[in-house]
PDB file of all heavy atoms in Angstrom:
ATOM      1  N   GLU N 271       8.865 -18.546   3.489  1.00 87.00           N
ATOM      2  CA  GLU N 271       9.497 -19.815   3.914  1.00 87.00           C
ATOM      3  C   GLU N 271      10.170 -20.543   2.688  1.00 87.00           C
ATOM      4  O   GLU N 271       9.425 -20.758   1.718  1.00 87.00           O
ATOM      5  CB  GLU N 271       8.458 -20.594   4.610  1.00 87.00           C
ATOM      6  CG  GLU N 271       9.031 -21.975   5.144  1.00 87.00           C
ATOM      7  CD  GLU N 271       9.804 -21.695   6.409  1.00 87.00           C
ATOM      8  OE1 GLU N 271       9.659 -20.746   7.029  1.00 87.00           O
ATOM      9  OE2 GLU N 271      10.643 -22.625   6.767  1.00 87.00           O
ATOM     10  N   ASN N 272      11.329 -20.924   2.762  1.00 81.00           N
ATOM     11  CA  ASN N 272      11.978 -21.967   1.800  1.00 81.00           C
ATOM     12  C   ASN N 272      11.844 -21.403   0.413  1.00 81.00           C
ATOM     13  O   ASN N 272      11.326 -22.022  -0.527  1.00 81.00           O
ATOM     14  CB  ASN N 272      11.286 -23.146   1.941  1.00 81.00           C
ATOM     15  CG  ASN N 272      11.605 -23.906   3.260  1.00 81.00           C
ATOM     16  OD1 ASN N 272      12.672 -23.590   3.824  1.00 81.00           O
ATOM     17  ND2 ASN N 272      10.645 -24.692   3.821  1.00 81.00           N
ATOM     18  N   ILE N 273      12.419 -20.206   0.128  1.00 83.00           N
ATOM     19  CA  ILE N 273      12.486 -19.696  -1.262  1.00 83.00           C
ATOM     20  C   ILE N 273      13.885 -19.906  -1.777  1.00 83.00           C
ATOM     21  O   ILE N 273      14.916 -19.428  -1.309  1.00 83.00           O
ATOM     22  CB  ILE N 273      12.167 -18.226  -1.321  1.00 83.00           C
ATOM     23  CG1 ILE N 273      10.796 -17.832  -0.864  1.00 83.00           C
ATOM     24  CG2 ILE N 273      12.337 -17.685  -2.790  1.00 83.00           C
ATOM     25  CD1 ILE N 273       9.642 -18.473  -1.704  1.00 83.00           C
ATOM     26  N   SER N 274      14.003 -20.852  -2.736  1.00 77.00           N
ATOM     27  CA  SER N 274      15.324 -21.225  -3.309  1.00 77.00           C
ATOM     28  C   SER N 274      15.744 -20.430  -4.611  1.00 77.00           C
ATOM     29  O   SER N 274      16.855 -20.075  -4.819  1.00 77.00           O
ATOM     30  CB  SER N 274      15.459 -22.632  -3.542  1.00 77.00           C
ATOM     31  OG  SER N 274      14.443 -23.119  -4.403  1.00 77.00           O
ATOM     32  N   ASP N 275      14.796 -20.149  -5.476  1.00 81.00           N
ATOM     33  CA  ASP N 275      14.985 -19.572  -6.750  1.00 81.00           C
ATOM     34  C   ASP N 275      14.788 -18.124  -6.624  1.00 81.00           C
ATOM     35  O   ASP N 275      13.823 -17.443  -6.976  1.00 81.00           O
ATOM     36  CB  ASP N 275      13.930 -20.111  -7.722  1.00 81.00           C
ATOM     37  CG  ASP N 275      14.320 -19.632  -9.222  1.00 81.00           C
ATOM     38  OD1 ASP N 275      15.450 -19.048  -9.334  1.00 81.00           O
ATOM     39  OD2 ASP N 275      13.554 -19.812 -10.047  1.00 81.00           O
ATOM     40  N   LYS N 276      15.861 -17.390  -6.035  1.00 86.00           N
ATOM     41  CA  LYS N 276      15.746 -15.953  -5.803  1.00 86.00           C
ATOM     42  C   LYS N 276      15.935 -15.165  -7.052  1.00 86.00           C
ATOM     43  O   LYS N 276      15.427 -13.995  -7.171  1.00 86.00           O
ATOM     44  CB  LYS N 276      16.839 -15.594  -4.823  1.00 86.00           C
ATOM     45  CG  LYS N 276      16.621 -16.094  -3.389  1.00 86.00           C
ATOM     46  CD  LYS N 276      17.685 -15.557  -2.417  1.00 86.00           C
ATOM     47  CE  LYS N 276      17.285 -15.925  -0.955  1.00 86.00           C
ATOM     48  NZ  LYS N 276      17.402 -17.461  -0.861  1.00 86.00           N
ATOM     49  N   GLU N 277      16.626 -15.702  -8.078  1.00 90.00           N
ATOM     50  CA  GLU N 277      16.921 -15.011  -9.332  1.00 90.00           C
ATOM     51  C   GLU N 277      15.640 -14.509  -9.962  1.00 90.00           C
ATOM     52  O   GLU N 277      15.577 -13.411 -10.478  1.00 90.00           O
ATOM     53  CB  GLU N 277      17.727 -15.825 -10.260  1.00 90.00           C
ATOM     54  CG  GLU N 277      19.187 -16.009  -9.804  1.00 90.00           C
ATOM     55  CD  GLU N 277      19.909 -14.795  -9.703  1.00 90.00           C
ATOM     56  OE1 GLU N 277      19.726 -13.859 -10.529  1.00 90.00           O
ATOM     57  OE2 GLU N 277      20.835 -14.592  -8.847  1.00 90.00           O
ATOM     58  N   ASN N 278      14.635 -15.401 -10.072  1.00 91.00           N
ATOM     59  CA  ASN N 278      13.443 -15.011 -10.652  1.00 91.00           C
ATOM     60  C   ASN N 278      12.706 -13.833  -9.933  1.00 91.00           C
ATOM     61  O   ASN N 278      12.016 -12.978 -10.570  1.00 91.00           O
ATOM     62  CB  ASN N 278      12.472 -16.195 -10.725  1.00 91.00           C
ATOM     63  CG  ASN N 278      12.662 -17.118 -11.907  1.00 91.00           C
ATOM     64  OD1 ASN N 278      13.192 -16.549 -12.934  1.00 91.00           O
ATOM     65  ND2 ASN N 278      12.337 -18.295 -11.876  1.00 91.00           N
ATOM     66  N   PHE N 279      12.941 -13.807  -8.612  1.00 93.00           N
ATOM     67  CA  PHE N 279      12.230 -12.686  -7.853  1.00 93.00           C
ATOM     68  C   PHE N 279      13.021 -11.423  -8.001  1.00 93.00           C
ATOM     69  O   PHE N 279      12.336 -10.289  -8.037  1.00 93.00           O
ATOM     70  CB  PHE N 279      12.183 -13.157  -6.374  1.00 93.00           C
ATOM     71  CG  PHE N 279      11.201 -14.201  -6.166  1.00 93.00           C
ATOM     72  CD1 PHE N 279      11.461 -15.495  -5.967  1.00 93.00           C
ATOM     73  CD2 PHE N 279       9.676 -13.874  -6.112  1.00 93.00           C
ATOM     74  CE1 PHE N 279      10.480 -16.455  -5.881  1.00 93.00           C
ATOM     75  CE2 PHE N 279       8.825 -14.839  -5.938  1.00 93.00           C
ATOM     76  CZ  PHE N 279       9.220 -16.098  -5.759  1.00 93.00           C
ATOM     77  N   PHE N 280      14.274 -11.410  -8.302  1.00 93.00           N
ATOM     78  CA  PHE N 280      14.874 -10.271  -8.686  1.00 93.00           C
ATOM     79  C   PHE N 280      14.313  -9.653  -9.949  1.00 93.00           C
ATOM     80  O   PHE N 280      14.037  -8.448 -10.115  1.00 93.00           O
ATOM     81  CB  PHE N 280      16.438 -10.444  -8.932  1.00 93.00           C
ATOM     82  CG  PHE N 280      17.241 -10.960  -7.743  1.00 93.00           C
ATOM     83  CD1 PHE N 280      18.296 -11.720  -7.857  1.00 93.00           C
ATOM     84  CD2 PHE N 280      16.728 -10.771  -6.477  1.00 93.00           C
ATOM     85  CE1 PHE N 280      19.057 -12.243  -6.821  1.00 93.00           C
ATOM     86  CE2 PHE N 280      17.440 -11.217  -5.401  1.00 93.00           C
ATOM     87  CZ  PHE N 280      18.517 -11.933  -5.589  1.00 93.00           C
ATOM     88  N   LYS N 281      14.065 -10.506 -10.970  1.00 93.00           N
ATOM     89  CA  LYS N 281      13.377 -10.075 -12.152  1.00 93.00           C
ATOM     90  C   LYS N 281      12.002  -9.571 -11.919  1.00 93.00           C
ATOM     91  O   LYS N 281      11.532  -8.547 -12.569  1.00 93.00           O
ATOM     92  CB  LYS N 281      13.461 -11.257 -13.177  1.00 93.00           C
ATOM     93  CG  LYS N 281      14.751 -11.752 -13.604  1.00 93.00           C
ATOM     94  CD  LYS N 281      14.670 -13.009 -14.459  1.00 93.00           C
ATOM     95  CE  LYS N 281      16.001 -13.602 -14.843  1.00 93.00           C
ATOM     96  NZ  LYS N 281      15.881 -14.869 -15.601  1.00 93.00           N
ATOM     97  N   TYR N 282      11.277 -10.241 -11.199  1.00 94.00           N
ATOM     98  CA  TYR N 282       9.882  -9.799 -10.912  1.00 94.00           C
ATOM     99  C   TYR N 282       9.976  -8.369 -10.266  1.00 94.00           C
ATOM    100  O   TYR N 282       9.087  -7.563 -10.723  1.00 94.00           O
ATOM    101  CB  TYR N 282       9.186 -10.782  -9.966  1.00 94.00           C
ATOM    102  CG  TYR N 282       8.989 -12.214 -10.388  1.00 94.00           C
ATOM    103  CD1 TYR N 282       9.015 -13.249  -9.567  1.00 94.00           C
ATOM    104  CD2 TYR N 282       8.763 -12.391 -11.827  1.00 94.00           C
ATOM    105  CE1 TYR N 282       8.877 -14.540 -10.025  1.00 94.00           C
ATOM    106  CE2 TYR N 282       8.607 -13.716 -12.263  1.00 94.00           C
ATOM    107  CZ  TYR N 282       8.634 -14.828 -11.423  1.00 94.00           C
ATOM    108  OH  TYR N 282       8.447 -16.064 -11.817  1.00 94.00           O
TER     109      TYR N 282
END
Side-chain angles (χ1 to χ4, degrees):
E271 183 74 21
N272 296 328
I273 301 294
S274 56
D275 187 12
K276 294 183 174 63
E277 290 296 327
N278 276 335
F279 288 101
F280 300 153
K281 297 175 184 177
Y282 297 150

